[in-house]
Amino acid sequence: EPEVTQTPSHQVTQMGQEVILRCVPISNHLYFYWYRQILGQKVEFLVSFYNNEISEKSEIFDDQFSVERPDGSNFTLKIRSTKLEDSAMYFCASSARLAAHEQFFGPGTRLTVL
Amino acid sequence: GENVEQHPSTLSVQEGDSAVIKCTYSDSASNYFPWYKQELGKGPQLIIDIRSNVGEKKDQRIAVTLNKTAKHFSLHITETQPEDSAVYFCAAMANRDDKIIFGKGTRLHILP
């Protein structure tokens, strides 16, 4: 069964450093998402991406964040200058159709900012 | 924007008994309600979903109900088994959006 994959599974970084989280969505999906889950809290939407541009973003997704689909398979989330409060689990998701359709989640990347 | 509330935060049931998790939503435009199961170290996995044009949906031991008037929806797991132990999230989504709004999650423990 096709699945969303994410690398790395765990990333430790120093405050102020840049990190890139990588995702490979399901191959025939066209809509891509990033969510995050701070320990013990809700899963929160960060950004959606379609047709090589951002469709929607939350208040969390400020100028420090960016997303890119550099080739036909990868979808990345970059945090330019990490802060302590960026420590969280980051989930990538993909969907075949827009709106009210199943989103498939990856296993997540645990980001720890020291 | 949409807000999803979920109760209880923790639920312990004896193996073989039923478990019920309840959620409410605030945005009447929401029309898609997925439920996700998250096991330790894994991402949320969709287990069942319901759309606003139906009131109930069942898949083997799992059922969901939706009351659009009251903006309530619930997950029912019957004949619980040890492998049902996990965190369950309810969520809501509107046609105009492409983001899922999650509840805070319910940690379900199945007691032997």
Side-chain angles (χ1 to χ4, degrees):
Chain A
E1 189 174 322
E3 58 183 19
V4 176
T5 59
Q6 290 185 243
T7 54
S9 55
H10 192 188
Q11 174 89 45
V12 181
T13 190
Q14 294 290 326
M15 191 170 57
Q17 294 296 304
E18 175 183 285
V19 294
I20 297 176
L21 309 183
R22 290 183 167 80
C23 168
V24 179
I26 293 173
S27 63
N28 62 342
H29 285 186
L30 300 175
Y31 302 90
F32 314 112
Y33 310 86
W34 284 101
Y35 291 80
R36 80 170 186 190
Q37 184 181 28
I38 294 172
L39 188 64
Q41 297 188 23
K42 290 186 182 190
V43 177
E44 303 171 286
F45 169 78
L46 291 178
V47 66
S48 58
F49 190 86
Y50 168 67
N51 203 24
N52 280 321
E53 59 183 30
I54 290 173
S55 312
E56 188 171 352
K57 59 184 180 179
S58 71
E59 293 173 352
I60 304 165
F61 195 89
D62 62 21
D63 292 344
Q64 293 301 313
F65 291 88
S66 62
V67 288
E68 195 178 30
R69 189 155 161 81
D71 53 44
S73 59
N74 289 285
F75 178 50
T76 62
L77 174 69
K78 182 193 290 186
I79 309 175
R80 229 175 310 278
S81 176
T82 49
K83 303 188 279 283
L84 295 176
E85 54 265 38
D86 293 328
S87 293
M89 197 74 171
Y90 288 81
F91 294 107
C92 173
S94 70
S95 177
R97 279 172 27 202
L98 182 66
H101 196 263
E102 181 178 350
Q103 294 183 14
F104 292 83
F105 283 75
T109 292
R110 179 170 299 284
L111 177 64
T112 302
V113 182
L114 304 175
Chain B
E2 176 63 277
N3 183 45
V4 177
E5 299 290 338
Q6 182 171 350
H7 301 278
S9 56
T10 307
L11 178 61
S12 296
V13 301
Q14 213 67 43
E15 184 179 346
D17 288 350
S18 295
V20 179
I21 301 170
K22 298 184 179 183
C23 291
T24 60
Y25 62 99
S26 60
D27 188 350
S28 55
S30 289
N31 60 351
Y32 174 64
F33 305 92
W35 286 86
Y36 286 85
K37 177 182 181 182
Q38 187 178 25
E39 295 173 303
L40 198 63
K42 297 185 179 179
Q45 299 296 310
L46 181 76
I47 54 171
I48 195 166
D49 55 14
I50 189 167
R51 297 181 193 276
S52 58
N53 57 347
V54 299
E56 186 172 353
K57 183 176 177 181
K58 192 172 179 182
D59 182 4
Q60 299 183 333
R61 296 187 296 109
I62 295 173
V64 290
T65 58
L66 171 65
N67 181 331
K68 280 191 300 182
T69 306
K71 298 196 186 75
H72 289 174
F73 58 117
S74 301
L75 176 73
H76 304 251
I77 306 174
T78 58
E79 300 171 22
T80 51
Q81 298 170 3
E83 54 265 36
D84 295 331
S85 292
V87 178
Y88 291 80
F89 293 96
C90 63
M93 193 171 171
N95 252 344
R96 62 169 186 264
D97 298 326
D98 56 2
K99 62 178 183 282
I100 294 174
I101 306 299
F102 285 84
K104 280 193 171 180
T106 296
R107 184 170 297 280
L108 176 63
H109 299 277
I110 306 302
L111 306 172

PDB file of all heavy atoms in Angstrom, chain A residues 35-60:
ATOM      1  N   TYR A  35       1.829  19.665   8.929  1.00  0.00           N
ATOM      2  CA  TYR A  35       1.198  19.887  10.222  1.00  0.00           C
ATOM      3  C   TYR A  35       2.285  19.731  11.281  1.00  0.00           C
ATOM      4  O   TYR A  35       3.311  19.100  11.039  1.00  0.00           O
ATOM      5  CB  TYR A  35       0.112  18.836  10.492  1.00  0.00           C
ATOM      6  CG  TYR A  35      -1.121  18.930   9.629  1.00  0.00           C
ATOM      7  CD1 TYR A  35      -1.128  18.416   8.327  1.00  0.00           C
ATOM      8  CD2 TYR A  35      -2.296  19.498  10.119  1.00  0.00           C
ATOM      9  CE1 TYR A  35      -2.272  18.493   7.534  1.00  0.00           C
ATOM     10  CE2 TYR A  35      -3.446  19.570   9.342  1.00  0.00           C
ATOM     11  CZ  TYR A  35      -3.420  19.064   8.061  1.00  0.00           C
ATOM     12  OH  TYR A  35      -4.551  19.138   7.285  1.00  0.00           O
ATOM     13  N   ARG A  36       2.019  20.272  12.469  1.00  0.00           N
ATOM     14  CA  ARG A  36       2.946  20.005  13.559  1.00  0.00           C
ATOM     15  C   ARG A  36       2.163  19.682  14.826  1.00  0.00           C
ATOM     16  O   ARG A  36       1.003  20.059  14.983  1.00  0.00           O
ATOM     17  CB  ARG A  36       3.885  21.190  13.797  1.00  0.00           C
ATOM     18  CG  ARG A  36       3.269  22.313  14.588  1.00  0.00           C
ATOM     19  CD  ARG A  36       4.284  23.345  14.994  1.00  0.00           C
ATOM     20  NE  ARG A  36       3.653  24.333  15.865  1.00  0.00           N
ATOM     21  CZ  ARG A  36       4.240  25.457  16.221  1.00  0.00           C
ATOM     22  NH1 ARG A  36       5.460  25.761  15.783  1.00  0.00           N
ATOM     23  NH2 ARG A  36       3.614  26.301  17.008  1.00  0.00           N
ATOM     24  N   GLN A  37       2.853  18.986  15.728  1.00  0.00           N
ATOM     25  CA  GLN A  37       2.245  18.588  17.000  1.00  0.00           C
ATOM     26  C   GLN A  37       3.268  18.816  18.089  1.00  0.00           C
ATOM     27  O   GLN A  37       4.240  18.055  18.216  1.00  0.00           O
ATOM     28  CB  GLN A  37       1.803  17.122  16.942  1.00  0.00           C
ATOM     29  CG  GLN A  37       1.072  16.660  18.176  1.00  0.00           C
ATOM     30  CD  GLN A  37       0.664  15.199  18.079  1.00  0.00           C
ATOM     31  OE1 GLN A  37       1.311  14.405  17.406  1.00  0.00           O
ATOM     32  NE2 GLN A  37      -0.426  14.837  18.738  1.00  0.00           N
ATOM     33  N   ILE A  38       3.068  19.871  18.853  1.00  0.00           N
ATOM     34  CA  ILE A  38       3.901  20.093  20.028  1.00  0.00           C
ATOM     35  C   ILE A  38       3.498  19.045  21.063  1.00  0.00           C
ATOM     36  O   ILE A  38       2.311  18.690  21.168  1.00  0.00           O
ATOM     37  CB  ILE A  38       3.715  21.521  20.561  1.00  0.00           C
ATOM     38  CG1 ILE A  38       4.266  22.517  19.529  1.00  0.00           C
ATOM     39  CG2 ILE A  38       4.390  21.702  21.901  1.00  0.00           C
ATOM     40  CD1 ILE A  38       3.977  23.960  19.835  1.00  0.00           C
ATOM     41  N   LEU A  39       4.466  18.558  21.811  1.00  0.00           N
ATOM     42  CA  LEU A  39       4.245  17.439  22.736  1.00  0.00           C
ATOM     43  C   LEU A  39       3.028  17.676  23.612  1.00  0.00           C
ATOM     44  O   LEU A  39       2.929  18.701  24.303  1.00  0.00           O
ATOM     45  CB  LEU A  39       5.498  17.239  23.592  1.00  0.00           C
ATOM     46  CG  LEU A  39       5.509  15.992  24.476  1.00  0.00           C
ATOM     47  CD1 LEU A  39       5.495  14.742  23.610  1.00  0.00           C
ATOM     48  CD2 LEU A  39       6.707  15.992  25.394  1.00  0.00           C
ATOM     49  N   GLY A  40       2.091  16.726  23.555  1.00  0.00           N
ATOM     50  CA  GLY A  40       0.913  16.801  24.416  1.00  0.00           C
ATOM     51  C   GLY A  40      -0.184  17.710  23.909  1.00  0.00           C
ATOM     52  O   GLY A  40      -1.205  17.876  24.584  1.00  0.00           O
ATOM     53  N   GLN A  41       0.014  18.305  22.723  1.00  0.00           N
ATOM     54  CA  GLN A  41      -0.986  19.233  22.205  1.00  0.00           C
ATOM     55  C   GLN A  41      -1.619  18.711  20.914  1.00  0.00           C
ATOM     56  O   GLN A  41      -1.307  17.632  20.433  1.00  0.00           O
ATOM     57  CB  GLN A  41      -0.350  20.607  21.985  1.00  0.00           C
ATOM     58  CG  GLN A  41       0.155  21.229  23.279  1.00  0.00           C
ATOM     59  CD  GLN A  41       0.618  22.658  23.100  1.00  0.00           C
ATOM     60  OE1 GLN A  41       0.215  23.352  22.165  1.00  0.00           O
ATOM     61  NE2 GLN A  41       1.480  23.116  23.999  1.00  0.00           N
ATOM     62  N   LYS A  42      -2.521  19.526  20.374  1.00  0.00           N
ATOM     63  CA  LYS A  42      -3.229  19.151  19.142  1.00  0.00           C
ATOM     64  C   LYS A  42      -2.278  19.099  17.957  1.00  0.00           C
ATOM     65  O   LYS A  42      -1.257  19.785  17.930  1.00  0.00           O
ATOM     66  CB  LYS A  42      -4.263  20.223  18.790  1.00  0.00           C
ATOM     67  CG  LYS A  42      -5.452  20.340  19.663  1.00  0.00           C
ATOM     68  CD  LYS A  42      -6.429  21.353  19.050  1.00  0.00           C
ATOM     69  CE  LYS A  42      -7.637  21.549  19.908  1.00  0.00           C
ATOM     70  NZ  LYS A  42      -8.681  22.321  19.230  1.00  0.00           N
ATOM     71  N   VAL A  43      -2.676  18.356  16.960  1.00  0.00           N
ATOM     72  CA  VAL A  43      -2.035  18.449  15.649  1.00  0.00           C
ATOM     73  C   VAL A  43      -2.554  19.737  15.002  1.00  0.00           C
ATOM     74  O   VAL A  43      -3.770  19.957  14.925  1.00  0.00           O
ATOM     75  CB  VAL A  43      -2.400  17.226  14.781  1.00  0.00           C
ATOM     76  CG1 VAL A  43      -1.791  17.361  13.399  1.00  0.00           C
ATOM     77  CG2 VAL A  43      -1.941  15.937  15.453  1.00  0.00           C
ATOM     78  N   GLU A  44      -1.612  20.599  14.559  1.00  0.00           N
ATOM     79  CA  GLU A  44      -2.000  21.916  14.017  1.00  0.00           C
ATOM     80  C   GLU A  44      -1.577  22.042  12.554  1.00  0.00           C
ATOM     81  O   GLU A  44      -0.451  21.686  12.192  1.00  0.00           O
ATOM     82  CB  GLU A  44      -1.291  23.031  14.779  1.00  0.00           C
ATOM     83  CG  GLU A  44      -1.518  23.066  16.264  1.00  0.00           C
ATOM     84  CD  GLU A  44      -0.587  24.078  16.907  1.00  0.00           C
ATOM     85  OE1 GLU A  44       0.625  23.809  17.027  1.00  0.00           O
ATOM     86  OE2 GLU A  44      -1.072  25.169  17.279  1.00  0.00           O
ATOM     87  N   PHE A  45      -2.437  22.597  11.773  1.00  0.00           N
ATOM     88  CA  PHE A  45      -2.146  22.852  10.363  1.00  0.00           C
ATOM     89  C   PHE A  45      -1.101  23.958  10.227  1.00  0.00           C
ATOM     90  O   PHE A  45      -1.168  24.977  10.925  1.00  0.00           O
ATOM     91  CB  PHE A  45      -3.436  23.273   9.672  1.00  0.00           C
ATOM     92  CG  PHE A  45      -3.274  23.810   8.279  1.00  0.00           C
ATOM     93  CD1 PHE A  45      -3.066  22.956   7.209  1.00  0.00           C
ATOM     94  CD2 PHE A  45      -3.310  25.176   8.043  1.00  0.00           C
ATOM     95  CE1 PHE A  45      -2.918  23.454   5.930  1.00  0.00           C
ATOM     96  CE2 PHE A  45      -3.167  25.682   6.770  1.00  0.00           C
ATOM     97  CZ  PHE A  45      -2.975  24.813   5.710  1.00  0.00           C
ATOM     98  N   LEU A  46      -0.145  23.734   9.333  1.00  0.00           N
ATOM     99  CA  LEU A  46       0.835  24.771   9.028  1.00  0.00           C
ATOM    100  C   LEU A  46       0.597  25.370   7.649  1.00  0.00           C
ATOM    101  O   LEU A  46       0.451  26.574   7.489  1.00  0.00           O
ATOM    102  CB  LEU A  46       2.253  24.199   9.062  1.00  0.00           C
ATOM    103  CG  LEU A  46       2.816  23.790  10.416  1.00  0.00           C
ATOM    104  CD1 LEU A  46       4.217  23.210  10.240  1.00  0.00           C
ATOM    105  CD2 LEU A  46       2.853  24.964  11.358  1.00  0.00           C
ATOM    106  N   VAL A  47       0.552  24.491   6.625  1.00  0.00           N
ATOM    107  CA  VAL A  47       0.528  25.001   5.254  1.00  0.00           C
ATOM    108  C   VAL A  47       0.017  23.930   4.305  1.00  0.00           C
ATOM    109  O   VAL A  47       0.170  22.732   4.554  1.00  0.00           O
ATOM    110  CB  VAL A  47       1.955  25.450   4.848  1.00  0.00           C
ATOM    111  CG1 VAL A  47       2.899  24.250   4.779  1.00  0.00           C
ATOM    112  CG2 VAL A  47       1.978  26.226   3.553  1.00  0.00           C
ATOM    113  N   SER A  48      -0.638  24.374   3.241  1.00  0.00           N
ATOM    114  CA  SER A  48      -1.021  23.469   2.159  1.00  0.00           C
ATOM    115  C   SER A  48      -0.391  23.975   0.862  1.00  0.00           C
ATOM    116  O   SER A  48      -0.144  25.181   0.709  1.00  0.00           O
ATOM    117  CB  SER A  48      -2.538  23.382   2.031  1.00  0.00           C
ATOM    118  OG  SER A  48      -3.091  24.657   1.801  1.00  0.00           O
ATOM    119  N   PHE A  49      -0.181  23.073  -0.062  1.00  0.00           N
ATOM    120  CA  PHE A  49       0.624  23.375  -1.259  1.00  0.00           C
ATOM    121  C   PHE A  49       0.043  22.623  -2.426  1.00  0.00           C
ATOM    122  O   PHE A  49      -0.232  21.415  -2.340  1.00  0.00           O
ATOM    123  CB  PHE A  49       2.062  22.909  -0.982  1.00  0.00           C
ATOM    124  CG  PHE A  49       3.089  23.323  -1.983  1.00  0.00           C
ATOM    125  CD1 PHE A  49       3.722  24.551  -1.885  1.00  0.00           C
ATOM    126  CD2 PHE A  49       3.475  22.467  -3.017  1.00  0.00           C
ATOM    127  CE1 PHE A  49       4.711  24.924  -2.781  1.00  0.00           C
ATOM    128  CE2 PHE A  49       4.456  22.834  -3.920  1.00  0.00           C
ATOM    129  CZ  PHE A  49       5.078  24.069  -3.798  1.00  0.00           C
ATOM    130  N   TYR A  50      -0.187  23.348  -3.509  1.00  0.00           N
ATOM    131  CA  TYR A  50      -0.744  22.728  -4.714  1.00  0.00           C
ATOM    132  C   TYR A  50      -0.250  23.476  -5.930  1.00  0.00           C
ATOM    133  O   TYR A  50      -0.156  24.707  -5.900  1.00  0.00           O
ATOM    134  CB  TYR A  50      -2.276  22.759  -4.654  1.00  0.00           C
ATOM    135  CG  TYR A  50      -2.951  22.404  -5.964  1.00  0.00           C
ATOM    136  CD1 TYR A  50      -2.858  21.113  -6.482  1.00  0.00           C
ATOM    137  CD2 TYR A  50      -3.659  23.366  -6.689  1.00  0.00           C
ATOM    138  CE1 TYR A  50      -3.458  20.786  -7.679  1.00  0.00           C
ATOM    139  CE2 TYR A  50      -4.254  23.041  -7.893  1.00  0.00           C
ATOM    140  CZ  TYR A  50      -4.161  21.754  -8.389  1.00  0.00           C
ATOM    141  OH  TYR A  50      -4.749  21.419  -9.589  1.00  0.00           O
ATOM    142  N   ASN A  51       0.074  22.751  -6.963  1.00  0.00           N
ATOM    143  CA  ASN A  51       0.479  23.367  -8.229  1.00  0.00           C
ATOM    144  C   ASN A  51       1.660  24.318  -8.024  1.00  0.00           C
ATOM    145  O   ASN A  51       1.686  25.421  -8.574  1.00  0.00           O
ATOM    146  CB  ASN A  51      -0.722  24.105  -8.831  1.00  0.00           C
ATOM    147  CG  ASN A  51      -0.585  24.280 -10.329  1.00  0.00           C
ATOM    148  OD1 ASN A  51       0.126  23.517 -10.989  1.00  0.00           O
ATOM    149  ND2 ASN A  51      -1.232  25.291 -10.855  1.00  0.00           N
ATOM    150  N   ASN A  52       2.594  23.866  -7.199  1.00  0.00           N
ATOM    151  CA  ASN A  52       3.830  24.600  -6.929  1.00  0.00           C
ATOM    152  C   ASN A  52       3.654  25.939  -6.231  1.00  0.00           C
ATOM    153  O   ASN A  52       4.523  26.818  -6.355  1.00  0.00           O
ATOM    154  CB  ASN A  52       4.633  24.803  -8.216  1.00  0.00           C
ATOM    155  CG  ASN A  52       5.409  23.555  -8.585  1.00  0.00           C
ATOM    156  OD1 ASN A  52       5.952  22.885  -7.714  1.00  0.00           O
ATOM    157  ND2 ASN A  52       5.436  23.243  -9.859  1.00  0.00           N
ATOM    158  N   GLU A  53       2.555  26.071  -5.523  1.00  0.00           N
ATOM    159  CA  GLU A  53       2.437  27.273  -4.706  1.00  0.00           C
ATOM    160  C   GLU A  53       1.617  27.001  -3.458  1.00  0.00           C
ATOM    161  O   GLU A  53       0.863  26.034  -3.393  1.00  0.00           O
ATOM    162  CB  GLU A  53       1.830  28.434  -5.504  1.00  0.00           C
ATOM    163  CG  GLU A  53       0.469  28.176  -6.079  1.00  0.00           C
ATOM    164  CD  GLU A  53      -0.012  29.357  -6.913  1.00  0.00           C
ATOM    165  OE1 GLU A  53       0.821  30.071  -7.511  1.00  0.00           O
ATOM    166  OE2 GLU A  53      -1.236  29.575  -6.953  1.00  0.00           O
ATOM    167  N   ILE A  54       1.801  27.871  -2.475  1.00  0.00           N
ATOM    168  CA  ILE A  54       1.068  27.736  -1.224  1.00  0.00           C
ATOM    169  C   ILE A  54      -0.400  28.067  -1.455  1.00  0.00           C
ATOM    170  O   ILE A  54      -0.734  29.096  -2.042  1.00  0.00           O
ATOM    171  CB  ILE A  54       1.675  28.653  -0.141  1.00  0.00           C
ATOM    172  CG1 ILE A  54       3.052  28.132   0.275  1.00  0.00           C
ATOM    173  CG2 ILE A  54       0.748  28.761   1.063  1.00  0.00           C
ATOM    174  CD1 ILE A  54       3.808  29.050   1.217  1.00  0.00           C
ATOM    175  N   SER A  55      -1.280  27.159  -0.999  1.00  0.00           N
ATOM    176  CA  SER A  55      -2.721  27.391  -1.114  1.00  0.00           C
ATOM    177  C   SER A  55      -3.247  28.124   0.109  1.00  0.00           C
ATOM    178  O   SER A  55      -4.083  29.015   0.003  1.00  0.00           O
ATOM    179  CB  SER A  55      -3.475  26.063  -1.222  1.00  0.00           C
ATOM    180  OG  SER A  55      -2.891  25.217  -2.159  1.00  0.00           O
ATOM    181  N   GLU A  56      -2.776  27.694   1.260  1.00  0.00           N
ATOM    182  CA  GLU A  56      -3.244  28.282   2.508  1.00  0.00           C
ATOM    183  C   GLU A  56      -2.143  28.103   3.549  1.00  0.00           C
ATOM    184  O   GLU A  56      -1.396  27.132   3.504  1.00  0.00           O
ATOM    185  CB  GLU A  56      -4.519  27.559   2.974  1.00  0.00           C
ATOM    186  CG  GLU A  56      -5.214  28.194   4.147  1.00  0.00           C
ATOM    187  CD  GLU A  56      -6.564  27.574   4.437  1.00  0.00           C
ATOM    188  OE1 GLU A  56      -7.052  26.737   3.654  1.00  0.00           O
ATOM    189  OE2 GLU A  56      -7.149  27.944   5.474  1.00  0.00           O
ATOM    190  N   LYS A  57      -2.045  29.036   4.473  1.00  0.00           N
ATOM    191  CA  LYS A  57      -1.089  28.886   5.557  1.00  0.00           C
ATOM    192  C   LYS A  57      -1.690  29.422   6.839  1.00  0.00           C
ATOM    193  O   LYS A  57      -2.561  30.287   6.826  1.00  0.00           O
ATOM    194  CB  LYS A  57       0.231  29.587   5.245  1.00  0.00           C
ATOM    195  CG  LYS A  57       0.099  31.075   4.985  1.00  0.00           C
ATOM    196  CD  LYS A  57       1.448  31.657   4.601  1.00  0.00           C
ATOM    197  CE  LYS A  57       1.317  33.153   4.349  1.00  0.00           C
ATOM    198  NZ  LYS A  57       2.619  33.769   3.988  1.00  0.00           N
ATOM    199  N   SER A  58      -1.209  28.883   7.959  1.00  0.00           N
ATOM    200  CA  SER A  58      -1.728  29.321   9.249  1.00  0.00           C
ATOM    201  C   SER A  58      -0.868  30.460   9.784  1.00  0.00           C
ATOM    202  O   SER A  58       0.180  30.792   9.218  1.00  0.00           O
ATOM    203  CB  SER A  58      -1.724  28.145  10.225  1.00  0.00           C
ATOM    204  OG  SER A  58      -0.398  27.818  10.588  1.00  0.00           O
ATOM    205  N   GLU A  59      -1.315  30.987  10.911  1.00  0.00           N
ATOM    206  CA  GLU A  59      -0.560  32.072  11.570  1.00  0.00           C
ATOM    207  C   GLU A  59       0.812  31.598  12.020  1.00  0.00           C
ATOM    208  O   GLU A  59       1.742  32.383  12.149  1.00  0.00           O
ATOM    209  CB  GLU A  59      -1.344  32.571  12.785  1.00  0.00           C
ATOM    210  CG  GLU A  59      -2.636  33.262  12.417  1.00  0.00           C
ATOM    211  CD  GLU A  59      -3.478  33.592  13.648  1.00  0.00           C
ATOM    212  OE1 GLU A  59      -3.116  33.148  14.766  1.00  0.00           O
ATOM    213  OE2 GLU A  59      -4.499  34.284  13.488  1.00  0.00           O
ATOM    214  N   ILE A  60       0.917  30.296  12.286  1.00  0.00           N
ATOM    215  CA  ILE A  60       2.201  29.738  12.735  1.00  0.00           C
ATOM    216  C   ILE A  60       3.252  29.846  11.628  1.00  0.00           C
ATOM    217  O   ILE A  60       4.433  30.056  11.880  1.00  0.00           O
ATOM    218  CB  ILE A  60       2.034  28.250  13.124  1.00  0.00           C
ATOM    219  CG1 ILE A  60       0.956  28.076  14.186  1.00  0.00           C
ATOM    220  CG2 ILE A  60       3.352  27.654  13.584  1.00  0.00           C
ATOM    221  CD1 ILE A  60       0.494  26.653  14.352  1.00  0.00           C
TER     222      ILE A  60
END
